Amino acid sequence: MAAAGWYHRDISQVVAEGLLAKAGRDGSFLVRDSESVKGAYALCLLFQRHVYTYRILPDDEGLLSVQTIQGIQAKCFRTLPDLIGTYQNPNNGLVTPLLHPVHRARPDEDSDGEDARGWGHTVPCPGAPPSSRTHIPQQLHQRLQEQVHSSPASDFMGFMAEYLTHHVQLDLEALCHGHPQLRHLSTALATACRALHSEIDFTLAGLETLARVFDPPVSPRSPAREQGFLSSDPDLELLLNKISTVNQLLSSLEKKVLKSLQETVTRHNLALPSVAVAPPPAARPLAVQNFEVKVGKSQRAALTVDVELGTVTVTKRGSGSPEEVIPQDKILQLIKYQSVQSKVRLMCARDNQKSVSRDFIFPSARKREAFCQLLQLMKIQHSNLDEPELISVYVGTWNMGSTPPPRSLASWLTSRGLGRTQDETTACIPHDIYVIGTQENSLGDREWVEFLCASLKTLMAIDYRVVALQCLWSIKIMVLVKPEHLRRISHVHTSSVKTGIANTLGNKGAVGVSFLFNGTSFGFVNCHLASGSEKTHRRNQNYSDILHSLALGDKRLGGFDLTLRFTHLFWFGDLNYRLDMDVQDILTHIVKKDFQALLAVDQLNLEREKNKVFLRFSEGDISFPPTYRYERGTRDTYVWQKSKPTGVRINVPSWCDRILWKSHPETHVVCNSYGCTDDIVTSDHSPVFATFEVGVTSQFVPKEAPGSSPEALACIEWESIEVILKTTSRSKCYIEFHSYCLEEMQRSGENTFQNCDIPGFLKLGWSSKHLPVLNPILPDLEYLGDQHLLLSIKGVESCESYGECCLAVRSAIGTTAQQFETFLFHRGEETGSVRGWMRVRVPRGRCGTRERLYEWISFEEDDAEPAAEAPVCPKPRPQRLRSRPRSLPEPATGYTNPAYFIFEGVPNAWLPAPGAAPKKQAEGSAGGQQSRSPTGPRVPLPSEEEPCGGRPRCGPPSPSRGHPLSPPRVGHHKRPKSAVLTRDTAGLGDCSLYVATHLSQLDQVSPHCRGDRHEVPLRQTHPALEPPPRPCREAPKPLGKRGGLGALELEAQAPPPADLQPARMQ
């Protein structure tokens, strides 16, 4: 089988099952690379609508064998075709013989018309015998591709592509006949290096001249090389001689110059003057900032913020003396109003142990945010903490268009321009971390580093230190930090992935950097994806290749999806997604600043809604015009026509340059700005920036030294776990538990419940007896509140992952089990859902905690105008409201996987009566859409329930709701009804139609029930299956102050109601 069409290389398990489902015949098979064992393969076989996976493992001698059922003797083969040929016969231990090979789909072509995977030649079969003369052996082909070094010289790469396509086979055949000269390779190299002769001649002449100045008697030039200068014959041996001479000169020239200068100093008794090193410039102190505000209904006042002194002064208009000076340690809480974006409430303590609140209304929401940022910075500077709890991160991306940058990048590095930008009072506050990503950057690496460092030093008066620089041709990413943070950075990793022609050219691809900041892991990816309005699928494939191949983060987590390996992952670059609209209509909307209509046809938003790319990522609100394609030299004109040899190409104005992020649940990350510049015009792209406020953790030091008292252990217990996978396999599975709070990875037993009656889905269940009790290395509540668990669902036979997820330990701390439900991901694809009940027990003596710096800012909806005088709390310090991270989606109160509707039925309450039209829901007072059940009372949201102690309701407004399968913050864009069906119907038979029908009905009935949850409890309509446990309606309990539990009590509590009891596995 010379062509090996059944070998699909490194496709994912989901893709393999989809191809087999499309084939539809028993005995259909394909071979792919194993995900669990390097160098092994996975044989995927379809039988009775289920996919069976067998591992093909090599032994120490390289012989291949299939892992089959017990009692069948393993057979060994030297090549993979021999193995496949044998197993095409019956009675070899497989469920059915290998009958129908499933061949690879024809790869897409990129924008230049080249084959996207292999330049048009057939991929050889792995394990082919050396005597094969028809196709290149796989190992040789891979080595040849690895030898294609990264270079922006497209002409040279063209010669190499030509050789790999047409001539390497001829050299291989000549080698088999005993001719090792590789004549075609020599010809290709000589042709490609023709221009190198003159360049080397020029350089070599200059180096020899300089060498003779310091060493006149010696001339390294030989007669043969003299002749080479006059010859234009592109002979490889002559070229190698020249290169060798250059190498020798460069290595010896520095030593010669140094020796000559030292002899001169000694001979003339010269004294070298001492150079006074100028001290590094001190960071500029923040200037005192003033804000005009309104107090009450008509009173005007001024707020003066002195960050260095740590005070806020309130001065009434017309009064020369200050009314009140508030020290920073007296500010207990800052509450932002949601319905009035410019309003804020300041909670302050008085000397008589009473508290008072003051409301201020700013001229704009941006002024309010600047005031809040200054107060946050004041708290940080005067906190006296050894390690930071809150840092600011700047992320910038710019396609430089292969032209040098302007002299000043001030507007880009200070987040000024269009969109959501920084206020002038906070624009020049230096960030802790700067991450700069560029594409089509023509500057050298050293030149670019020096230019950026000098720019930041001029703007911020800080000598930022370079943590990492990673380049792939003209794609570059650089990470810089403040000098005081350099010691906090560890475990730095860099990586790059090529996604250009055949995935070997670096004109497109990604570069990445990851590191630990104390105890918080960060990942940054800068990419340049395929161009062209019609290349959406190719861009999606680029994203998938980057996810699979980018080697970042902890190696122990290499089996997990890249998006789950980091506490915070930022992904940015020239993503090249375009707008699906006529160019004239786009221009009309841009003139009107009607960006919502354009975002509704943005390819990235549409692909995210279909769960094709960037699953569960977040992006700031786009309120700036498209950043591509401008006329160079101005920002007033878009140029959408581009002449190419093949004709005129249309590049519609689009938001090609984007910044997205994804964080672990229950972590703090806030996007404070997202926009683009309007004064940097050297490229046809505008630079884009985003700034983030990120909570970080440090090494936890317990109060009690280890061994000082009997060690009490915390424990993480599971009552049950239920998993629904999108797979046609019926394999038994187990769960792996990974976490930095565990000494080692833990593993569950095999699932105790299994249901595969619905084609395309597999339902699994584990009871508490088959789930491990996890013991964290430290039992302290403050430590556990920052920890996360990574779960991986793996097949028993293949040991390959069906999906992974991340759970926050914080949300399950207590004496009663808490319910969780989240999605499963694998290689960037949604592969299912997991839900269950877990409980985290903390010893009584380890329940102390404290408020974080970012938790003293909270949110409140002012449904009613507050009283003129706030009630006085008799306690010295009132209970503070815990701020829920603003970018965190609301807790799930329903189930989002469509498989739940199949296994458990669609709730009758969600289905419209015959002929009844769906009712429109009124919008809430905060401007958000409120979801209501078509019948029955409305279920309150967790953020709307009355908290303990009668405190006001707090929490961010509900995010815009999209389809249950769509990621957060993209649901408010109008999409076609069939958007979700494109993904769900592929290869799932009648089952997908069943899902699609009911999802369409849900869209019609409850158009406002969107996002990560439904607010109507599911009801059992399928009589033969167990209904899901109803979700817990309690909001996440806040952690109290040090030494206490606040609203979270670890005392014995009453058991949950019957409808909240954990589900029991049968």
Side-chain angles (χ1 to χ4, degrees), residues 891-918:
T893 59
Y895 306 109
T896 51
N897 193 309
Y900 287 120
F901 304 128
I902 302 174
F903 282 100
E904 296 153 2
V906 179
N908 292 329
W910 288 11
L911 299 179

Side-chain angles (χ1 to χ4, degrees), residues 1043-1057:
L1045 296 178
L1048 177 65
E1049 298 293 344
L1050 297 186
E1051 302 294 337
Q1053 300 178 5

Side-chain angles (χ1 to χ4, degrees), residues 490-531:
S490 64
H491 298 81
V492 179
H493 295 92
T494 60
S495 181
S496 63
V497 175
K498 303 172 184 176
T499 62
I501 300 176
N503 283 351
T504 58
L505 293 188
N507 61 325
K508 296 293 190 296
V511 290
V513 174
S514 65
F515 56 84
L516 283 178
F517 187 100
N518 283 342
T520 302
S521 57
F522 285 88
F524 299 92
V525 179
N526 170 36
C527 68
H528 192 185
L529 306 185
S531 61

